[in-house]
PDB file of all heavy atoms in Angstrom:
ATOM      1  N   GLU C 366     -10.128  25.959 -16.143  1.00  0.00           N
ATOM      2  CA  GLU C 366      -9.278  26.009 -17.343  1.00  0.00           C
ATOM      3  C   GLU C 366      -8.236  27.119 -17.207  1.00  0.00           C
ATOM      4  O   GLU C 366      -7.067  26.940 -17.566  1.00  0.00           O
ATOM      5  CB  GLU C 366     -10.149  26.226 -18.584  1.00  0.00           C
ATOM      6  CG  GLU C 366     -10.975  24.989 -18.927  1.00  0.00           C
ATOM      7  CD  GLU C 366     -12.070  25.234 -19.968  1.00  0.00           C
ATOM      8  OE1 GLU C 366     -12.475  26.404 -20.175  1.00  0.00           O
ATOM      9  OE2 GLU C 366     -12.519  24.262 -20.564  1.00  0.00           O
ATOM     10  N   ALA C 367      -8.656  28.251 -16.654  1.00  0.00           N
ATOM     11  CA  ALA C 367      -7.716  29.375 -16.485  1.00  0.00           C
ATOM     12  C   ALA C 367      -6.608  29.009 -15.491  1.00  0.00           C
ATOM     13  O   ALA C 367      -5.458  29.400 -15.657  1.00  0.00           O
ATOM     14  CB  ALA C 367      -8.469  30.617 -16.011  1.00  0.00           C
ATOM     15  N   ARG C 368      -6.966  28.228 -14.468  1.00  0.00           N
ATOM     16  CA  ARG C 368      -5.949  27.785 -13.494  1.00  0.00           C
ATOM     17  C   ARG C 368      -4.924  26.868 -14.180  1.00  0.00           C
ATOM     18  O   ARG C 368      -3.715  26.992 -13.959  1.00  0.00           O
ATOM     19  CB  ARG C 368      -6.653  27.063 -12.327  1.00  0.00           C
ATOM     20  CG  ARG C 368      -5.719  26.454 -11.322  1.00  0.00           C
ATOM     21  CD  ARG C 368      -6.440  26.008 -10.050  1.00  0.00           C
ATOM     22  NE  ARG C 368      -7.618  25.184 -10.283  1.00  0.00           N
ATOM     23  CZ  ARG C 368      -7.594  23.866 -10.563  1.00  0.00           C
ATOM     24  NH1 ARG C 368      -6.435  23.253 -10.652  1.00  0.00           N
ATOM     25  NH2 ARG C 368      -8.707  23.192 -10.761  1.00  0.00           N
ATOM     26  N   HIS C 369      -5.394  25.958 -15.018  1.00  0.00           N
ATOM     27  CA  HIS C 369      -4.464  25.107 -15.772  1.00  0.00           C
ATOM     28  C   HIS C 369      -3.535  25.979 -16.627  1.00  0.00           C
ATOM     29  O   HIS C 369      -2.320  25.760 -16.682  1.00  0.00           O
ATOM     30  CB  HIS C 369      -5.224  24.133 -16.679  1.00  0.00           C
ATOM     31  CG  HIS C 369      -5.813  22.952 -15.963  1.00  0.00           C
ATOM     32  ND1 HIS C 369      -7.033  22.983 -15.349  1.00  0.00           N
ATOM     33  CD2 HIS C 369      -5.336  21.707 -15.747  1.00  0.00           C
ATOM     34  CE1 HIS C 369      -7.299  21.804 -14.802  1.00  0.00           C
ATOM     35  NE2 HIS C 369      -6.279  21.009 -15.032  1.00  0.00           N
ATOM     36  N   GLU C 370      -4.135  26.946 -17.309  1.00  0.00           N
ATOM     37  CA  GLU C 370      -3.372  27.823 -18.202  1.00  0.00           C
ATOM     38  C   GLU C 370      -2.304  28.592 -17.404  1.00  0.00           C
ATOM     39  O   GLU C 370      -1.130  28.618 -17.770  1.00  0.00           O
ATOM     40  CB  GLU C 370      -4.356  28.793 -18.885  1.00  0.00           C
ATOM     41  CG  GLU C 370      -3.766  29.764 -19.876  1.00  0.00           C
ATOM     42  CD  GLU C 370      -3.281  29.099 -21.161  1.00  0.00           C
ATOM     43  OE1 GLU C 370      -3.740  27.983 -21.484  1.00  0.00           O
ATOM     44  OE2 GLU C 370      -2.409  29.698 -21.829  1.00  0.00           O
ATOM     45  N   ARG C 371      -2.738  29.195 -16.283  1.00  0.00           N
ATOM     46  CA  ARG C 371      -1.840  30.020 -15.471  1.00  0.00           C
ATOM     47  C   ARG C 371      -0.671  29.182 -14.932  1.00  0.00           C
ATOM     48  O   ARG C 371       0.493  29.570 -15.054  1.00  0.00           O
ATOM     49  CB  ARG C 371      -2.661  30.584 -14.307  1.00  0.00           C
ATOM     50  CG  ARG C 371      -2.114  31.792 -13.635  1.00  0.00           C
ATOM     51  CD  ARG C 371      -3.146  32.388 -12.692  1.00  0.00           C
ATOM     52  NE  ARG C 371      -3.569  31.487 -11.616  1.00  0.00           N
ATOM     53  CZ  ARG C 371      -4.808  31.032 -11.445  1.00  0.00           C
ATOM     54  NH1 ARG C 371      -5.781  31.383 -12.258  1.00  0.00           N
ATOM     55  NH2 ARG C 371      -5.099  30.221 -10.437  1.00  0.00           N
ATOM     56  N   CYS C 372      -0.991  28.019 -14.383  1.00  0.00           N
ATOM     57  CA  CYS C 372       0.064  27.201 -13.765  1.00  0.00           C
ATOM     58  C   CYS C 372       1.010  26.639 -14.826  1.00  0.00           C
ATOM     59  O   CYS C 372       2.229  26.605 -14.625  1.00  0.00           O
ATOM     60  CB  CYS C 372      -0.565  26.065 -12.950  1.00  0.00           C
ATOM     61  SG  CYS C 372      -1.406  26.689 -11.491  1.00  0.00           S
ATOM     62  N   GLY C 373       0.450  26.197 -15.948  1.00  0.00           N
ATOM     63  CA  GLY C 373       1.294  25.647 -17.008  1.00  0.00           C
ATOM     64  C   GLY C 373       2.257  26.683 -17.563  1.00  0.00           C
ATOM     65  O   GLY C 373       3.436  26.410 -17.797  1.00  0.00           O
ATOM     66  N   ARG C 374       1.747  27.894 -17.763  1.00  0.00           N
ATOM     67  CA  ARG C 374       2.632  28.948 -18.320  1.00  0.00           C
ATOM     68  C   ARG C 374       3.697  29.355 -17.316  1.00  0.00           C
ATOM     69  O   ARG C 374       4.837  29.636 -17.688  1.00  0.00           O
ATOM     70  CB  ARG C 374       1.824  30.176 -18.751  1.00  0.00           C
ATOM     71  CG  ARG C 374       0.771  29.915 -19.819  1.00  0.00           C
ATOM     72  CD  ARG C 374       1.302  29.234 -21.064  1.00  0.00           C
ATOM     73  NE  ARG C 374       0.200  28.784 -21.919  1.00  0.00           N
ATOM     74  CZ  ARG C 374       0.238  27.733 -22.736  1.00  0.00           C
ATOM     75  NH1 ARG C 374       1.327  26.998 -22.834  1.00  0.00           N
ATOM     76  NH2 ARG C 374      -0.813  27.407 -23.460  1.00  0.00           N
ATOM     77  N   LEU C 375       3.326  29.354 -16.030  1.00  0.00           N
ATOM     78  CA  LEU C 375       4.285  29.665 -14.966  1.00  0.00           C
ATOM     79  C   LEU C 375       5.405  28.618 -14.968  1.00  0.00           C
ATOM     80  O   LEU C 375       6.600  28.950 -14.866  1.00  0.00           O
ATOM     81  CB  LEU C 375       3.529  29.618 -13.631  1.00  0.00           C
ATOM     82  CG  LEU C 375       4.037  30.439 -12.472  1.00  0.00           C
ATOM     83  CD1 LEU C 375       4.000  31.918 -12.824  1.00  0.00           C
ATOM     84  CD2 LEU C 375       3.142  30.183 -11.237  1.00  0.00           C
ATOM     85  N   LEU C 376       5.014  27.384 -15.099  1.00  0.00           N
ATOM     86  CA  LEU C 376       5.985  26.285 -15.148  1.00  0.00           C
ATOM     87  C   LEU C 376       6.908  26.438 -16.354  1.00  0.00           C
ATOM     88  O   LEU C 376       8.136  26.308 -16.246  1.00  0.00           O
ATOM     89  CB  LEU C 376       5.234  24.950 -15.216  1.00  0.00           C
ATOM     90  CG  LEU C 376       6.080  23.705 -15.457  1.00  0.00           C
ATOM     91  CD1 LEU C 376       6.996  23.444 -14.272  1.00  0.00           C
ATOM     92  CD2 LEU C 376       5.192  22.483 -15.703  1.00  0.00           C
ATOM     93  N   GLN C 377       6.316  26.740 -17.510  1.00  0.00           N
ATOM     94  CA  GLN C 377       7.126  26.845 -18.729  1.00  0.00           C
ATOM     95  C   GLN C 377       8.113  27.997 -18.630  1.00  0.00           C
ATOM     96  O   GLN C 377       9.285  27.866 -18.999  1.00  0.00           O
ATOM     97  CB  GLN C 377       6.201  26.980 -19.952  1.00  0.00           C
ATOM     98  CG  GLN C 377       5.462  25.667 -20.208  1.00  0.00           C
ATOM     99  CD  GLN C 377       4.286  25.732 -21.162  1.00  0.00           C
ATOM    100  OE1 GLN C 377       4.000  26.780 -21.752  1.00  0.00           O
ATOM    101  NE2 GLN C 377       3.591  24.614 -21.302  1.00  0.00           N
ATOM    102  N   ALA C 378       7.650  29.129 -18.076  1.00  0.00           N
ATOM    103  CA  ALA C 378       8.555  30.277 -17.911  1.00  0.00           C
ATOM    104  C   ALA C 378       9.677  29.912 -16.943  1.00  0.00           C
ATOM    105  O   ALA C 378      10.847  30.262 -17.164  1.00  0.00           O
ATOM    106  CB  ALA C 378       7.764  31.480 -17.393  1.00  0.00           C
ATOM    107  N   GLY C 379       9.346  29.183 -15.878  1.00  0.00           N
ATOM    108  CA  GLY C 379      10.347  28.784 -14.888  1.00  0.00           C
ATOM    109  C   GLY C 379      11.390  27.849 -15.485  1.00  0.00           C
ATOM    110  O   GLY C 379      12.579  27.950 -15.190  1.00  0.00           O
ATOM    111  N   LEU C 380      10.951  26.923 -16.316  1.00  0.00           N
ATOM    112  CA  LEU C 380      11.888  25.978 -16.950  1.00  0.00           C
ATOM    113  C   LEU C 380      12.837  26.725 -17.885  1.00  0.00           C
ATOM    114  O   LEU C 380      14.045  26.452 -17.922  1.00  0.00           O
ATOM    115  CB  LEU C 380      11.119  24.906 -17.727  1.00  0.00           C
ATOM    116  CG  LEU C 380      10.330  23.912 -16.862  1.00  0.00           C
ATOM    117  CD1 LEU C 380       9.362  23.087 -17.718  1.00  0.00           C
ATOM    118  CD2 LEU C 380      11.273  22.976 -16.089  1.00  0.00           C
ATOM    119  N   GLU C 381      12.283  27.695 -18.618  1.00  0.00           N
ATOM    120  CA  GLU C 381      13.141  28.480 -19.523  1.00  0.00           C
ATOM    121  C   GLU C 381      14.142  29.303 -18.710  1.00  0.00           C
ATOM    122  O   GLU C 381      15.288  29.474 -19.117  1.00  0.00           O
ATOM    123  CB  GLU C 381      12.281  29.368 -20.425  1.00  0.00           C
ATOM    124  CG  GLU C 381      11.540  28.534 -21.462  1.00  0.00           C
ATOM    125  CD  GLU C 381      10.797  29.341 -22.517  1.00  0.00           C
ATOM    126  OE1 GLU C 381      10.033  30.251 -22.136  1.00  0.00           O
ATOM    127  OE2 GLU C 381      10.970  29.041 -23.712  1.00  0.00           O
ATOM    128  N   LYS C 382      13.703  29.777 -17.557  1.00  0.00           N
ATOM    129  CA  LYS C 382      14.602  30.528 -16.675  1.00  0.00           C
ATOM    130  C   LYS C 382      15.764  29.662 -16.178  1.00  0.00           C
ATOM    131  O   LYS C 382      16.864  30.153 -15.927  1.00  0.00           O
ATOM    132  CB  LYS C 382      13.823  31.060 -15.459  1.00  0.00           C
ATOM    133  CG  LYS C 382      13.814  32.583 -15.362  1.00  0.00           C
ATOM    134  CD  LYS C 382      12.883  33.003 -14.288  1.00  0.00           C
ATOM    135  CE  LYS C 382      13.369  34.229 -13.554  1.00  0.00           C
ATOM    136  NZ  LYS C 382      12.392  34.591 -12.519  1.00  0.00           N
ATOM    137  N   LEU C 383      15.481  28.357 -16.066  1.00  0.00           N
ATOM    138  CA  LEU C 383      16.549  27.427 -15.671  1.00  0.00           C
ATOM    139  C   LEU C 383      17.457  27.088 -16.862  1.00  0.00           C
ATOM    140  O   LEU C 383      18.364  26.278 -16.740  1.00  0.00           O
ATOM    141  CB  LEU C 383      15.945  26.129 -15.116  1.00  0.00           C
ATOM    142  CG  LEU C 383      15.196  26.209 -13.786  1.00  0.00           C
ATOM    143  CD1 LEU C 383      14.629  24.841 -13.400  1.00  0.00           C
ATOM    144  CD2 LEU C 383      16.115  26.707 -12.672  1.00  0.00           C
ATOM    145  N   GLY C 384      17.165  27.678 -18.004  1.00  0.00           N
ATOM    146  CA  GLY C 384      18.004  27.459 -19.193  1.00  0.00           C
ATOM    147  C   GLY C 384      17.606  26.224 -19.976  1.00  0.00           C
ATOM    148  O   GLY C 384      18.361  25.762 -20.830  1.00  0.00           O
ATOM    149  N   LEU C 385      16.420  25.680 -19.709  1.00  0.00           N
ATOM    150  CA  LEU C 385      15.971  24.493 -20.451  1.00  0.00           C
ATOM    151  C   LEU C 385      15.077  24.927 -21.618  1.00  0.00           C
ATOM    152  O   LEU C 385      14.369  25.932 -21.528  1.00  0.00           O
ATOM    153  CB  LEU C 385      15.208  23.552 -19.512  1.00  0.00           C
ATOM    154  CG  LEU C 385      16.039  23.000 -18.344  1.00  0.00           C
ATOM    155  CD1 LEU C 385      15.148  22.208 -17.381  1.00  0.00           C
ATOM    156  CD2 LEU C 385      17.187  22.113 -18.836  1.00  0.00           C
ATOM    157  N   GLU C 386      15.120  24.117 -22.682  1.00  0.00           N
ATOM    158  CA  GLU C 386      14.365  24.485 -23.895  1.00  0.00           C
ATOM    159  C   GLU C 386      13.081  23.667 -23.975  1.00  0.00           C
ATOM    160  O   GLU C 386      13.100  22.448 -23.772  1.00  0.00           O
ATOM    161  CB  GLU C 386      15.254  24.186 -25.115  1.00  0.00           C
ATOM    162  CG  GLU C 386      14.737  24.762 -26.406  1.00  0.00           C
ATOM    163  CD  GLU C 386      15.560  24.273 -27.611  1.00  0.00           C
ATOM    164  OE1 GLU C 386      16.743  23.908 -27.441  1.00  0.00           O
ATOM    165  OE2 GLU C 386      14.984  24.232 -28.702  1.00  0.00           O
ATOM    166  N   LEU C 387      11.985  24.340 -24.282  1.00  0.00           N
ATOM    167  CA  LEU C 387      10.707  23.633 -24.417  1.00  0.00           C
ATOM    168  C   LEU C 387      10.670  22.929 -25.776  1.00  0.00           C
ATOM    169  O   LEU C 387      11.277  23.393 -26.745  1.00  0.00           O
ATOM    170  CB  LEU C 387       9.545  24.613 -24.272  1.00  0.00           C
ATOM    171  CG  LEU C 387       9.519  25.376 -22.935  1.00  0.00           C
ATOM    172  CD1 LEU C 387       8.359  26.367 -22.895  1.00  0.00           C
ATOM    173  CD2 LEU C 387       9.425  24.413 -21.742  1.00  0.00           C
ATOM    174  N   PHE C 388       9.954  21.800 -25.834  1.00  0.00           N
ATOM    175  CA  PHE C 388       9.959  20.981 -27.050  1.00  0.00           C
ATOM    176  C   PHE C 388       8.842  21.366 -28.020  1.00  0.00           C
ATOM    177  O   PHE C 388       9.048  21.446 -29.227  1.00  0.00           O
ATOM    178  CB  PHE C 388       9.814  19.504 -26.643  1.00  0.00           C
ATOM    179  CG  PHE C 388       9.715  18.550 -27.796  1.00  0.00           C
ATOM    180  CD1 PHE C 388      10.830  18.230 -28.568  1.00  0.00           C
ATOM    181  CD2 PHE C 388       8.500  17.955 -28.122  1.00  0.00           C
ATOM    182  CE1 PHE C 388      10.734  17.345 -29.636  1.00  0.00           C
ATOM    183  CE2 PHE C 388       8.387  17.071 -29.189  1.00  0.00           C
ATOM    184  CZ  PHE C 388       9.514  16.763 -29.946  1.00  0.00           C
ATOM    185  N   ALA C 389       7.645  21.604 -27.508  1.00  0.00           N
ATOM    186  CA  ALA C 389       6.483  21.834 -28.382  1.00  0.00           C
ATOM    187  C   ALA C 389       6.565  23.206 -29.058  1.00  0.00           C
ATOM    188  O   ALA C 389       7.102  24.161 -28.492  1.00  0.00           O
ATOM    189  CB  ALA C 389       5.194  21.734 -27.569  1.00  0.00           C
ATOM    190  N   GLN C 390       5.995  23.267 -30.252  1.00  0.00           N
ATOM    191  CA  GLN C 390       6.021  24.519 -31.032  1.00  0.00           C
ATOM    192  C   GLN C 390       5.284  25.640 -30.304  1.00  0.00           C
ATOM    193  O   GLN C 390       4.160  25.440 -29.834  1.00  0.00           O
ATOM    194  CB  GLN C 390       5.362  24.264 -32.395  1.00  0.00           C
ATOM    195  CG  GLN C 390       5.420  25.445 -33.337  1.00  0.00           C
ATOM    196  CD  GLN C 390       4.788  25.082 -34.681  1.00  0.00           C
ATOM    197  OE1 GLN C 390       5.142  24.089 -35.301  1.00  0.00           O
ATOM    198  NE2 GLN C 390       3.835  25.890 -35.125  1.00  0.00           N
TER     199      GLN C 390
END
Side-chain angles (χ1 to χ4, degrees):
E366 289 168 340
R368 175 168 50 80
H369 283 85
E370 181 70 21
R371 200 169 61 243
C372 291
R374 300 306 169 209
L375 206 62
L376 172 66
Q377 290 166 4
L380 291 167
E381 289 187 310
K382 242 172 145 179
L383 292 178
L385 298 173
E386 192 188 335
L387 302 178
F388 176 74
Q390 184 178 307

